[in-house]
Amino acid sequence: MSKAPKSTSSRKRTGANGAANGTGPARTGAGRTKARSNRSGKNPIPINLGLQGGGAHGAFSWGVIDRILEDGRLEIEGISGTSAGAMNAVVLADALYDGGADEARAKLYQFWRSVSTESLKSPIQRSALDVFFQNWNLDHNPAFIFYDFMTRLVSPYEFNPLNIDPLKEILEDQVDFARVNACTKVKIFVSATNVHTGRARVFSGSEVSLDAVVASACLPFLFQAVEIDNTPYWDGGYMGNPVLHPFIDQCGSPDVLLIQINPVRREGTPTTARDIMNRVNEISFNGSLLKELRMVEFVNKCIRRGDLKGQPFREIFLHRIDGGSGLEALSPSSKVNAEWAFLTHLRDLGREAAEIWLGKHLGDVGKVSTILVEPYFHVDDEIANILEGPDAGN
């Protein structure tokens, strides 16, 4: 069993009980494989990461990043993140400002441990039966049912007039945004949705701030809009989950690895009000991403045909890691379950998925896409192949 190295940062941080008392980043099944940093003796291959938002499910992305950092054969050049994805991104950049992979892994552990510790104050917890049967969902939890009902009935300006946001406090405590802005090892792109125009705004460089990350995670049914430069912003997932175009404009690597935590396809028709709303949100949060993927593949095909000779375009290689059946089996209610056992379960799923992907596709990085994206789709089965087809790129 492996443990991620502890951070050597001297800055004081609170709320990360595991990191503070020396228990260290947790042991994982996937972590049985020892770190293989540059085992080939070659320079690491640059790659960009696209991190989706999804509440507690962002711990899956943490696991993927943790395994990539531990492996050492890939170098993260840029990260485009929304909501929980943006949080993973800024925590990573903070650690990489003056540290390496070990410090980044420890910092991510510390952040998610703090999230879990803060969640203990919430009345929304799994019941004894849920714990016994290892049910991570909260669909039948009375506190969650009441909470879910209130968010559909009352505005956050009414039930949360003080605009209390525990995640903002954790970010403020855990992340030094001056270090994030000054970090030259990784480029960070955070997206939020402009409430007035309905368009995505991408924050980068010195624009990446505490408010930008909080805006990226601002679900309008739960929190008041975040004002930045006198403009209100909501969750970035509505218009970019995540946005991909910054990689094309501002990063040198032609490879984009999408870490997908929101399923594109679900079997069955939702019939309850909650299930219908949840599926609408999933479709909405994936819609802008699918459009960008189609456009990228359209340009790629034009390049391969020679239609864009002499034009400033380059082929982009697309890759994907998802949670498979492990995430698909979870109800959207589990996104508010920040219990440490659940977060580490998701992290371990992410590590395992990254291990499999590295074993199968590392050699494809810089050479070819490993997912199939068609520019136009006519039937449902073809649409499913965008992100759901196993090894479609092969």
Side-chain angles (χ1 to χ4, degrees), residues 277-332:
M277 181 61 71
N278 288 333
R279 187 54 183 151
V280 167
N281 285 335
E282 285 180 340
I283 292 171
S284 300
F285 275 46
N286 280 319
S288 56
L289 171 64
L290 296 183
K291 289 180 181 178
E292 278 204 271
L293 290 173
R294 289 169 179 165
M295 182 57 67
V296 168
E297 181 58 16
F298 175 73
V299 173
N300 282 346
K301 286 193 171 186
C302 289
I303 292 172
R304 291 193 289 266
R305 288 198 304 261
D307 297 342
L308 298 175
K309 286 184 179 179
Q311 299 296 318
F313 294 101
R314 57 180 175 142
E315 189 167 357
I316 299 298
F317 303 124
L318 298 169
H319 314 275
R320 174 184 64 101
I321 295 176
D322 74 353
S325 59
L327 283 185
E328 290 174 6
L330 296 172
S331 161

Short mmCIF file of all heavy atoms in Angstrom, two decimals, residues 277-332:
data_model
loop_
_atom_site.label_atom_id
_atom_site.label_comp_id
_atom_site.label_asym_id
_atom_site.label_seq_id
_atom_site.Cartn_x
_atom_site.Cartn_y
_atom_site.Cartn_z
N MET A 277 -35.24 16.59 -12.53
CA MET A 277 -34.38 17.76 -12.39
C MET A 277 -32.90 17.37 -12.45
O MET A 277 -32.09 18.06 -13.08
CB MET A 277 -34.68 18.47 -11.07
CG MET A 277 -33.84 19.72 -10.83
SD MET A 277 -34.11 20.99 -12.08
CE MET A 277 -35.78 21.52 -11.63
N ASN A 278 -32.56 16.26 -11.81
CA ASN A 278 -31.18 15.81 -11.83
C ASN A 278 -30.72 15.47 -13.25
O ASN A 278 -29.59 15.81 -13.65
CB ASN A 278 -31.01 14.57 -10.94
CG ASN A 278 -31.09 14.91 -9.46
OD1 ASN A 278 -30.79 16.02 -9.05
ND2 ASN A 278 -31.51 13.95 -8.66
N ARG A 279 -31.58 14.82 -14.02
CA ARG A 279 -31.19 14.46 -15.38
C ARG A 279 -31.10 15.70 -16.27
O ARG A 279 -30.21 15.79 -17.13
CB ARG A 279 -32.20 13.46 -15.97
CG ARG A 279 -31.78 12.90 -17.34
CD ARG A 279 -30.40 12.30 -17.28
NE ARG A 279 -29.95 11.83 -18.60
CZ ARG A 279 -28.68 11.77 -18.97
NH1 ARG A 279 -27.73 12.16 -18.14
NH2 ARG A 279 -28.36 11.33 -20.17
N VAL A 280 -32.00 16.66 -16.07
CA VAL A 280 -31.92 17.92 -16.81
C VAL A 280 -30.58 18.61 -16.54
O VAL A 280 -29.93 19.13 -17.44
CB VAL A 280 -33.10 18.84 -16.44
CG1 VAL A 280 -32.86 20.26 -16.95
CG2 VAL A 280 -34.40 18.30 -17.01
N ASN A 281 -30.17 18.60 -15.27
CA ASN A 281 -28.90 19.22 -14.92
C ASN A 281 -27.72 18.50 -15.58
O ASN A 281 -26.78 19.14 -16.07
CB ASN A 281 -28.72 19.24 -13.40
CG ASN A 281 -29.58 20.28 -12.73
OD1 ASN A 281 -29.96 21.27 -13.34
ND2 ASN A 281 -29.91 20.07 -11.47
N GLU A 282 -27.77 17.18 -15.61
CA GLU A 282 -26.69 16.43 -16.24
C GLU A 282 -26.60 16.75 -17.73
O GLU A 282 -25.51 16.95 -18.27
CB GLU A 282 -26.91 14.92 -16.06
CG GLU A 282 -26.60 14.42 -14.67
CD GLU A 282 -26.82 12.94 -14.53
OE1 GLU A 282 -27.55 12.35 -15.35
OE2 GLU A 282 -26.24 12.34 -13.59
N ILE A 283 -27.75 16.80 -18.39
CA ILE A 283 -27.78 17.11 -19.82
C ILE A 283 -27.25 18.52 -20.06
O ILE A 283 -26.45 18.76 -20.98
CB ILE A 283 -29.20 16.95 -20.38
CG1 ILE A 283 -29.62 15.47 -20.35
CG2 ILE A 283 -29.29 17.49 -21.80
CD1 ILE A 283 -31.07 15.24 -20.67
N SER A 284 -27.70 19.47 -19.23
CA SER A 284 -27.26 20.86 -19.38
C SER A 284 -25.76 20.98 -19.18
O SER A 284 -25.07 21.68 -19.92
CB SER A 284 -27.99 21.76 -18.37
OG SER A 284 -29.38 21.72 -18.58
N PHE A 285 -25.24 20.30 -18.16
CA PHE A 285 -23.83 20.43 -17.83
C PHE A 285 -22.92 19.71 -18.82
O PHE A 285 -21.73 19.99 -18.87
CB PHE A 285 -23.57 19.91 -16.41
CG PHE A 285 -23.82 20.94 -15.34
CD1 PHE A 285 -24.95 21.73 -15.36
CD2 PHE A 285 -22.92 21.12 -14.31
CE1 PHE A 285 -25.19 22.69 -14.38
CE2 PHE A 285 -23.13 22.07 -13.32
CZ PHE A 285 -24.27 22.86 -13.35
N ASN A 286 -23.48 18.80 -19.60
CA ASN A 286 -22.67 18.12 -20.62
C ASN A 286 -22.82 18.75 -22.01
O ASN A 286 -21.99 18.53 -22.88
CB ASN A 286 -23.05 16.64 -20.72
CG ASN A 286 -22.40 15.79 -19.64
OD1 ASN A 286 -21.24 15.97 -19.32
ND2 ASN A 286 -23.16 14.87 -19.08
N GLY A 287 -23.89 19.54 -22.20
CA GLY A 287 -24.20 20.07 -23.52
C GLY A 287 -23.09 20.89 -24.14
O GLY A 287 -22.70 20.68 -25.30
N SER A 288 -22.55 21.85 -23.37
CA SER A 288 -21.51 22.72 -23.93
C SER A 288 -20.23 21.93 -24.21
O SER A 288 -19.53 22.20 -25.19
CB SER A 288 -21.21 23.87 -22.97
OG SER A 288 -20.86 23.38 -21.69
N LEU A 289 -19.94 20.94 -23.38
CA LEU A 289 -18.75 20.12 -23.60
C LEU A 289 -18.87 19.34 -24.90
O LEU A 289 -17.92 19.27 -25.70
CB LEU A 289 -18.54 19.16 -22.43
CG LEU A 289 -17.45 18.11 -22.62
CD1 LEU A 289 -16.08 18.76 -22.76
CD2 LEU A 289 -17.46 17.10 -21.47
N LEU A 290 -20.03 18.74 -25.14
CA LEU A 290 -20.22 17.97 -26.36
C LEU A 290 -20.06 18.83 -27.61
O LEU A 290 -19.50 18.40 -28.61
CB LEU A 290 -21.61 17.31 -26.36
CG LEU A 290 -21.86 16.29 -25.25
CD1 LEU A 290 -23.24 15.68 -25.40
CD2 LEU A 290 -20.80 15.21 -25.26
N LYS A 291 -20.54 20.07 -27.53
CA LYS A 291 -20.39 20.98 -28.67
C LYS A 291 -18.92 21.28 -28.94
O LYS A 291 -18.48 21.31 -30.09
CB LYS A 291 -21.16 22.28 -28.41
CG LYS A 291 -22.67 22.12 -28.46
CD LYS A 291 -23.37 23.44 -28.19
CE LYS A 291 -24.89 23.30 -28.22
NZ LYS A 291 -25.58 24.57 -27.92
N GLU A 292 -18.16 21.50 -27.87
CA GLU A 292 -16.73 21.77 -28.06
C GLU A 292 -16.00 20.55 -28.62
O GLU A 292 -15.13 20.67 -29.48
CB GLU A 292 -16.09 22.21 -26.74
CG GLU A 292 -16.29 23.67 -26.42
CD GLU A 292 -15.21 24.21 -25.48
OE1 GLU A 292 -15.42 24.11 -24.27
OE2 GLU A 292 -14.18 24.71 -25.98
N LEU A 293 -16.37 19.37 -28.14
CA LEU A 293 -15.74 18.16 -28.65
C LEU A 293 -16.03 17.97 -30.13
O LEU A 293 -15.15 17.58 -30.91
CB LEU A 293 -16.22 16.94 -27.85
CG LEU A 293 -15.72 16.83 -26.40
CD1 LEU A 293 -16.42 15.68 -25.70
CD2 LEU A 293 -14.22 16.64 -26.36
N ARG A 294 -17.27 18.25 -30.54
CA ARG A 294 -17.62 18.14 -31.95
C ARG A 294 -16.82 19.11 -32.80
O ARG A 294 -16.34 18.77 -33.89
CB ARG A 294 -19.12 18.39 -32.13
CG ARG A 294 -20.01 17.28 -31.59
CD ARG A 294 -21.46 17.72 -31.55
NE ARG A 294 -22.33 16.65 -31.06
CZ ARG A 294 -23.58 16.84 -30.67
NH1 ARG A 294 -24.10 18.06 -30.70
NH2 ARG A 294 -24.31 15.83 -30.27
N MET A 295 -16.67 20.33 -32.29
CA MET A 295 -15.93 21.33 -33.05
C MET A 295 -14.45 20.96 -33.17
O MET A 295 -13.84 21.11 -34.24
CB MET A 295 -16.07 22.70 -32.38
CG MET A 295 -15.37 23.82 -33.15
SD MET A 295 -15.92 23.97 -34.86
CE MET A 295 -17.62 24.51 -34.60
N VAL A 296 -13.87 20.45 -32.08
CA VAL A 296 -12.47 20.03 -32.12
C VAL A 296 -12.28 18.93 -33.16
O VAL A 296 -11.35 18.97 -33.98
CB VAL A 296 -12.01 19.54 -30.73
CG1 VAL A 296 -10.66 18.82 -30.84
CG2 VAL A 296 -11.90 20.71 -29.76
N GLU A 297 -13.18 17.96 -33.17
CA GLU A 297 -13.03 16.86 -34.13
C GLU A 297 -13.28 17.33 -35.56
O GLU A 297 -12.65 16.84 -36.50
CB GLU A 297 -13.99 15.72 -33.76
CG GLU A 297 -13.90 14.51 -34.67
CD GLU A 297 -12.51 13.88 -34.72
OE1 GLU A 297 -11.68 14.18 -33.83
OE2 GLU A 297 -12.25 13.10 -35.65
N PHE A 298 -14.18 18.29 -35.73
CA PHE A 298 -14.42 18.83 -37.07
C PHE A 298 -13.15 19.48 -37.62
O PHE A 298 -12.75 19.25 -38.77
CB PHE A 298 -15.56 19.85 -37.02
CG PHE A 298 -15.81 20.55 -38.33
CD1 PHE A 298 -16.40 19.89 -39.39
CD2 PHE A 298 -15.42 21.88 -38.50
CE1 PHE A 298 -16.62 20.54 -40.60
CE2 PHE A 298 -15.64 22.54 -39.71
CZ PHE A 298 -16.24 21.86 -40.75
N VAL A 299 -12.49 20.29 -36.78
CA VAL A 299 -11.24 20.93 -37.21
C VAL A 299 -10.17 19.88 -37.45
O VAL A 299 -9.39 19.97 -38.42
CB VAL A 299 -10.78 21.96 -36.16
CG1 VAL A 299 -9.40 22.52 -36.52
CG2 VAL A 299 -11.78 23.11 -36.05
N ASN A 300 -10.10 18.86 -36.58
CA ASN A 300 -9.13 17.79 -36.78
C ASN A 300 -9.30 17.12 -38.13
O ASN A 300 -8.33 16.83 -38.84
CB ASN A 300 -9.26 16.74 -35.67
CG ASN A 300 -8.63 17.18 -34.36
OD1 ASN A 300 -7.87 18.14 -34.32
ND2 ASN A 300 -8.94 16.47 -33.29
N LYS A 301 -10.55 16.86 -38.50
CA LYS A 301 -10.80 16.21 -39.80
C LYS A 301 -10.41 17.11 -40.96
O LYS A 301 -9.87 16.65 -41.96
CB LYS A 301 -12.28 15.81 -39.91
CG LYS A 301 -12.63 14.60 -39.06
CD LYS A 301 -14.01 14.05 -39.43
CE LYS A 301 -14.25 12.72 -38.74
NZ LYS A 301 -15.50 12.08 -39.16
N CYS A 302 -10.66 18.40 -40.81
CA CYS A 302 -10.25 19.35 -41.85
C CYS A 302 -8.73 19.36 -42.01
O CYS A 302 -8.20 19.43 -43.12
CB CYS A 302 -10.76 20.75 -41.52
SG CYS A 302 -12.55 20.96 -41.68
N ILE A 303 -8.03 19.29 -40.89
CA ILE A 303 -6.57 19.27 -40.93
C ILE A 303 -6.08 18.00 -41.62
O ILE A 303 -5.19 18.05 -42.48
CB ILE A 303 -5.99 19.38 -39.51
CG1 ILE A 303 -6.27 20.77 -38.92
CG2 ILE A 303 -4.48 19.09 -39.50
CD1 ILE A 303 -5.89 20.90 -37.46
N ARG A 304 -6.68 16.86 -41.25
CA ARG A 304 -6.23 15.59 -41.84
C ARG A 304 -6.51 15.54 -43.34
O ARG A 304 -5.77 14.89 -44.08
CB ARG A 304 -6.91 14.43 -41.11
CG ARG A 304 -6.42 14.22 -39.69
CD ARG A 304 -6.87 12.89 -39.13
NE ARG A 304 -8.30 12.85 -38.87
CZ ARG A 304 -8.86 13.12 -37.69
NH1 ARG A 304 -8.10 13.50 -36.68
NH2 ARG A 304 -10.16 13.06 -37.53
N ARG A 305 -7.56 16.23 -43.78
CA ARG A 305 -7.87 16.26 -45.21
C ARG A 305 -7.01 17.28 -45.96
O ARG A 305 -7.03 17.33 -47.19
CB ARG A 305 -9.35 16.63 -45.42
CG ARG A 305 -10.33 15.54 -45.04
CD ARG A 305 -11.69 15.81 -45.69
NE ARG A 305 -12.20 17.13 -45.34
CZ ARG A 305 -13.09 17.35 -44.40
NH1 ARG A 305 -13.58 16.35 -43.69
NH2 ARG A 305 -13.51 18.59 -44.14
N GLY A 306 -6.30 18.12 -45.23
CA GLY A 306 -5.48 19.14 -45.86
C GLY A 306 -6.23 20.40 -46.20
O GLY A 306 -5.72 21.24 -46.95
N ASP A 307 -7.45 20.57 -45.64
CA ASP A 307 -8.26 21.74 -45.96
C ASP A 307 -7.73 23.02 -45.32
O ASP A 307 -8.11 24.12 -45.74
CB ASP A 307 -9.71 21.52 -45.48
CG ASP A 307 -10.38 20.36 -46.18
OD1 ASP A 307 -9.88 19.96 -47.25
OD2 ASP A 307 -11.39 19.86 -45.66
N LEU A 308 -6.88 22.89 -44.31
CA LEU A 308 -6.44 24.07 -43.55
C LEU A 308 -4.94 24.32 -43.69
O LEU A 308 -4.31 24.89 -42.79
CB LEU A 308 -6.81 23.91 -42.07
CG LEU A 308 -8.31 23.80 -41.78
CD1 LEU A 308 -8.56 23.50 -40.31
CD2 LEU A 308 -9.04 25.06 -42.20
N LYS A 309 -4.37 23.91 -44.81
CA LYS A 309 -2.94 24.15 -45.03
C LYS A 309 -2.65 25.66 -45.02
O LYS A 309 -3.37 26.44 -45.62
CB LYS A 309 -2.51 23.55 -46.36
CG LYS A 309 -2.41 22.03 -46.34
CD LYS A 309 -1.89 21.51 -47.67
CE LYS A 309 -1.75 19.98 -47.64
NZ LYS A 309 -1.27 19.45 -48.94
N GLY A 310 -1.60 26.02 -44.31
CA GLY A 310 -1.23 27.43 -44.23
C GLY A 310 -1.99 28.20 -43.19
O GLY A 310 -1.73 29.39 -42.96
N GLN A 311 -2.95 27.53 -42.52
CA GLN A 311 -3.74 28.20 -41.47
C GLN A 311 -3.16 27.84 -40.10
O GLN A 311 -2.55 26.78 -39.92
CB GLN A 311 -5.20 27.75 -41.55
CG GLN A 311 -5.88 28.08 -42.87
CD GLN A 311 -5.97 29.58 -43.11
OE1 GLN A 311 -6.27 30.34 -42.18
NE2 GLN A 311 -5.69 29.99 -44.34
N PRO A 312 -3.34 28.71 -39.11
CA PRO A 312 -2.75 28.49 -37.77
C PRO A 312 -3.56 27.50 -36.94
O PRO A 312 -4.00 27.82 -35.83
CB PRO A 312 -2.76 29.89 -37.16
CG PRO A 312 -3.95 30.55 -37.77
CD PRO A 312 -4.01 30.03 -39.19
N PHE A 313 -3.77 26.31 -37.47
CA PHE A 313 -4.51 25.28 -36.75
C PHE A 313 -3.63 24.06 -36.58
O PHE A 313 -2.76 23.77 -37.40
CB PHE A 313 -5.79 24.89 -37.50
CG PHE A 313 -6.81 25.98 -37.59
CD1 PHE A 313 -6.95 26.71 -38.76
CD2 PHE A 313 -7.61 26.29 -36.51
CE1 PHE A 313 -7.90 27.73 -38.86
CE2 PHE A 313 -8.56 27.31 -36.59
CZ PHE A 313 -8.69 28.04 -37.77
N ARG A 314 -3.85 23.33 -35.50
CA ARG A 314 -3.13 22.09 -35.25
C ARG A 314 -4.11 21.04 -34.74
O ARG A 314 -5.16 21.37 -34.18
CB ARG A 314 -2.03 22.31 -34.21
CG ARG A 314 -2.58 22.87 -32.90
CD ARG A 314 -1.50 23.11 -31.87
NE ARG A 314 -2.07 23.74 -30.69
CZ ARG A 314 -1.71 23.48 -29.45
NH1 ARG A 314 -0.80 22.56 -29.22
NH2 ARG A 314 -2.25 24.11 -28.43
N GLU A 315 -3.76 19.79 -34.95
CA GLU A 315 -4.64 18.72 -34.50
C GLU A 315 -4.56 18.59 -32.98
O GLU A 315 -3.49 18.70 -32.38
CB GLU A 315 -4.24 17.40 -35.16
CG GLU A 315 -5.23 16.28 -34.91
CD GLU A 315 -5.00 15.08 -35.82
OE1 GLU A 315 -4.12 15.14 -36.68
OE2 GLU A 315 -5.75 14.09 -35.65
N ILE A 316 -5.71 18.36 -32.37
CA ILE A 316 -5.81 18.17 -30.93
C ILE A 316 -6.16 16.71 -30.67
O ILE A 316 -7.11 16.18 -31.24
CB ILE A 316 -6.89 19.09 -30.31
CG1 ILE A 316 -6.53 20.56 -30.55
CG2 ILE A 316 -7.02 18.82 -28.82
CD1 ILE A 316 -5.23 21.02 -29.92
N PHE A 317 -5.39 16.07 -29.80
CA PHE A 317 -5.62 14.67 -29.48
C PHE A 317 -6.44 14.58 -28.18
O PHE A 317 -6.03 15.10 -27.15
CB PHE A 317 -4.30 13.93 -29.32
CG PHE A 317 -3.41 14.03 -30.54
CD1 PHE A 317 -2.12 14.52 -30.44
CD2 PHE A 317 -3.89 13.67 -31.79
CE1 PHE A 317 -1.31 14.62 -31.55
CE2 PHE A 317 -3.09 13.77 -32.92
CZ PHE A 317 -1.79 14.24 -32.80
N LEU A 318 -7.58 13.93 -28.27
CA LEU A 318 -8.52 13.86 -27.16
C LEU A 318 -8.45 12.51 -26.46
O LEU A 318 -8.39 11.46 -27.10
CB LEU A 318 -9.94 14.11 -27.66
CG LEU A 318 -10.20 15.48 -28.30
CD1 LEU A 318 -11.56 15.49 -28.99
CD2 LEU A 318 -10.12 16.58 -27.26
N HIS A 319 -8.49 12.55 -25.15
CA HIS A 319 -8.45 11.34 -24.33
C HIS A 319 -9.48 11.48 -23.21
O HIS A 319 -9.93 12.58 -22.90
CB HIS A 319 -7.05 11.14 -23.72
CG HIS A 319 -5.94 11.34 -24.70
ND1 HIS A 319 -5.50 10.34 -25.54
CD2 HIS A 319 -5.17 12.44 -24.98
CE1 HIS A 319 -4.52 10.81 -26.30
NE2 HIS A 319 -4.29 12.07 -25.98
N ARG A 320 -9.82 10.38 -22.59
CA ARG A 320 -10.84 10.43 -21.53
C ARG A 320 -10.60 9.37 -20.47
O ARG A 320 -10.21 8.25 -20.78
CB ARG A 320 -12.23 10.21 -22.12
CG ARG A 320 -13.36 10.11 -21.09
CD ARG A 320 -14.68 9.78 -21.77
NE ARG A 320 -14.65 8.49 -22.40
CZ ARG A 320 -15.20 7.38 -21.89
NH1 ARG A 320 -15.80 7.44 -20.73
NH2 ARG A 320 -15.15 6.23 -22.53
N ILE A 321 -10.81 9.76 -19.22
CA ILE A 321 -10.89 8.83 -18.10
C ILE A 321 -12.21 9.09 -17.40
O ILE A 321 -12.52 10.24 -17.08
CB ILE A 321 -9.73 9.02 -17.10
CG1 ILE A 321 -8.39 8.67 -17.75
CG2 ILE A 321 -9.95 8.17 -15.85
CD1 ILE A 321 -7.19 8.94 -16.85
N ASP A 322 -13.00 8.05 -17.19
CA ASP A 322 -14.26 8.24 -16.47
C ASP A 322 -14.40 7.21 -15.36
O ASP A 322 -13.56 6.32 -15.21
CB ASP A 322 -15.46 8.21 -17.42
CG ASP A 322 -15.79 6.80 -17.90
OD1 ASP A 322 -15.01 5.86 -17.61
OD2 ASP A 322 -16.82 6.63 -18.57
N GLY A 323 -15.45 7.37 -14.57
CA GLY A 323 -15.65 6.48 -13.43
C GLY A 323 -16.38 5.21 -13.75
O GLY A 323 -16.56 4.37 -12.86
N GLY A 324 -16.82 5.06 -15.02
CA GLY A 324 -17.51 3.84 -15.42
C GLY A 324 -18.71 3.54 -14.54
O GLY A 324 -19.41 4.44 -14.04
N SER A 325 -18.93 2.28 -14.29
CA SER A 325 -20.10 1.85 -13.52
C SER A 325 -20.02 2.31 -12.07
O SER A 325 -21.04 2.47 -11.41
CB SER A 325 -20.24 0.32 -13.58
OG SER A 325 -19.07 -0.30 -13.06
N GLY A 326 -18.79 2.54 -11.58
CA GLY A 326 -18.64 2.98 -10.20
C GLY A 326 -19.30 4.31 -9.93
O GLY A 326 -19.91 4.51 -8.87
N LEU A 327 -19.21 5.26 -10.87
CA LEU A 327 -19.87 6.56 -10.72
C LEU A 327 -21.30 6.53 -11.22
O LEU A 327 -22.17 7.21 -10.66
CB LEU A 327 -19.08 7.65 -11.46
CG LEU A 327 -17.81 8.17 -10.79
CD1 LEU A 327 -17.22 9.32 -11.59
CD2 LEU A 327 -18.06 8.60 -9.36
N GLU A 328 -21.55 5.78 -12.28
CA GLU A 328 -22.90 5.73 -12.84
C GLU A 328 -23.91 5.17 -11.85
O GLU A 328 -25.09 5.51 -11.89
CB GLU A 328 -22.90 4.90 -14.12
CG GLU A 328 -22.17 5.57 -15.29
CD GLU A 328 -22.06 4.66 -16.49
OE1 GLU A 328 -22.66 3.56 -16.46
OE2 GLU A 328 -21.38 5.04 -17.46
N ALA A 329 -23.45 4.30 -10.96
CA ALA A 329 -24.35 3.68 -9.98
C ALA A 329 -24.74 4.64 -8.86
O ALA A 329 -25.67 4.36 -8.10
CB ALA A 329 -23.70 2.44 -9.39
N LEU A 330 -24.05 5.77 -8.77
CA LEU A 330 -24.31 6.71 -7.69
C LEU A 330 -25.43 7.67 -8.06
O LEU A 330 -25.51 8.16 -9.18
CB LEU A 330 -23.05 7.51 -7.37
CG LEU A 330 -21.86 6.71 -6.83
CD1 LEU A 330 -20.63 7.60 -6.74
CD2 LEU A 330 -22.19 6.12 -5.46
N SER A 331 -26.27 7.95 -7.09
CA SER A 331 -27.32 8.96 -7.28
C SER A 331 -26.71 10.35 -7.18
O SER A 331 -25.70 10.55 -6.49
CB SER A 331 -28.38 8.79 -6.19
OG SER A 331 -29.17 9.96 -6.05
N PRO A 332 -27.31 11.34 -7.87
CA PRO A 332 -26.81 12.72 -7.73
C PRO A 332 -26.79 13.20 -6.28
O PRO A 332 -26.02 14.10 -5.95
CB PRO A 332 -27.81 13.52 -8.57
CG PRO A 332 -28.25 12.57 -9.63
CD PRO A 332 -28.34 11.24 -8.93
#
